[in-house]
Amino acid sequence: MRYWLMKSEPDEVGIAHLAANPDALFEWTGVRNYQARNFMRDDMQPGDLLLFWHSSCPEPGIAGIAEVASAAHADSSQFDPASPYHDPKSDPAKPRWQCVDVRFVRQTRLVSPQELRQHPQLEEMTVLKRGNRLSITPVTEAEWAYLTQVVL
């Protein structure tokens, strides 16, 4: 099992959206960064757990836990002309963008980046490093254990 942090804007899809439909799968569309896409395509497996991070909002941070519920597949938004994530250069026979489906596990209290930085055990977390803007980052097993046992 691997662990991840995935960012979403709560006004588009927040942890409350997943909590409202706990048995539903959510297609994690719109990732348009090759490294983040590669994490989904090459490394994520069903059963992996993830920190659900609210981003681009007044109070960013960890808001819950979700589970990877599918193997990578074509991101449907790349073919939808009405989507802000439409990619007219992507070929349906060889899609450029991949995504996974996720499922709600639990909501947590909101844990801000400032609070996370107060824990020396988390100082190497990718999301806390200067200049990091990736929407998907790996979380180490040690970071996951510390977060779930001490912080969350």
Side-chain angles (χ1 to χ4, degrees):
M1 176 182 298
R2 296 198 57 188
Y3 304 99
W4 305 94
L5 182 143
M6 296 175 77
K7 296 179 182 178
S8 181
E9 296 177 15
D11 58 341
E12 287 186 24
V13 176
I15 195 70
H17 294 99
L18 274 67
N21 296 295
D23 296 324
L25 299 184
F26 169 72
E27 184 182 20
W28 202 276
T29 61
V31 173
R32 296 298 181 264
N33 172 284
Y34 287 106
Q35 185 176 4
R37 181 221 41 203
N38 293 350
F39 284 143
M40 288 190 289
R41 185 190 68 195
D42 302 335
D43 299 323
M44 286 186 176
Q45 299 294 319
D48 287 356
L49 295 173
L50 61 101
L51 300 168
F52 195 107
W53 181 281
H54 283 175
S55 68
S56 300
C57 60
E59 296 183 52
I62 298 169
I65 297 175
E67 172 186 15
V68 176
S70 75
H73 57 85
D75 176 338
S76 63
S77 67
Q78 68 192 309
F79 306 119
D80 179 1
S83 171
Y85 304 111
H86 178 243
D87 182 351
K89 294 181 181 176
S90 189
D91 179 356
K94 190 174 180 188
R96 180 181 299 183
W97 303 109
Q98 300 283 308
C99 69
V100 295
D101 298 330
V102 301
R103 176 185 297 118
F104 177 77
V105 172
R106 72 180 174 99
Q107 195 161 349
T108 64
R109 68 184 182 85
L110 185 67
V111 182
S112 71
Q114 294 80 10
E115 181 179 346
L116 293 172
R117 285 188 177 95
Q118 294 174 8
H119 297 271
Q121 298 87 339
L122 302 175
E123 68 186 3
E124 294 300 315
M125 275 190 80
T126 305
V127 73
L128 299 178
K129 292 184 178 179
R130 284 206 188 280
N132 175 62
R133 305 237 344 123
L134 282 177
S135 61
I136 299 172
T137 55
V139 173
T140 68
E141 188 171 345
E143 292 164 345
W144 184 270
Y146 184 81
L147 281 162
T148 57
Q149 294 168 13
V150 177
V151 179
L152 300 175

